[in-house]
Amino acid sequence: DEVFGPHIAATILPSAIERHVKDAEPTKALALTFHGSTGTGKNFVADRIVEALFVKGLKSKYYHKYAGYHHARKGKVRHRCHSVFRASG
């Protein structure tokens, strides 16, 4: 009820999350990415989802937030990409 913004967040996300949660044995982890300009509520929506899904909310060991701007600045993205490409090829 706290999200009034983009229609995609308000309509598509709940059904996608519900499908994943109802699957007794999901074959993949739930991974969501949010794209958009600064101040559009990406982190807000992500935090509300986590708080609804996990008892420990943002402190759950099953929740990992990747902030591209933060990790890219510190060179972590480049290092991770090189590792993945070396392993796959």
Side-chain angles (χ1 to χ4, degrees):
D1 290 338
E2 295 181 55
V3 178
F4 301 103
H7 66 283
I8 294 173
T11 58
I12 295 175
L13 281 175
S15 61
I17 294 167
E18 183 178 18
R19 278 193 309 273
H20 182 80
V21 172
K22 284 185 174 182
D23 186 348
E25 295 184 31
T27 57
K28 296 181 181 180
L30 177 63
L32 303 170
T33 62
F34 300 101
H35 304 267
S37 302
T38 302
T40 57
K42 299 175 297 290
N43 287 315
F44 178 81
V45 170
D47 291 349
R48 298 298 80 73
I49 291 169
V50 172
E51 290 171 348
L53 288 177
F54 300 110
V55 172
K56 293 184 179 181
L58 298 171
K59 294 181 180 184
S60 172
K61 68 179 183 177
Y62 301 108
Y63 165 65
H64 305 284
K65 188 178 209 174
Y66 172 81
Y69 63 87
H70 173 75
H71 291 93
R73 271 197 322 237
K74 296 189 176 205
K76 294 179 183 178
V77 171
R78 189 174 339 137
H79 174 72
R80 175 74 177 132
C81 288
H82 286 294
S83 298
V84 170
F85 291 131
R86 273 195 300 261
S88 65

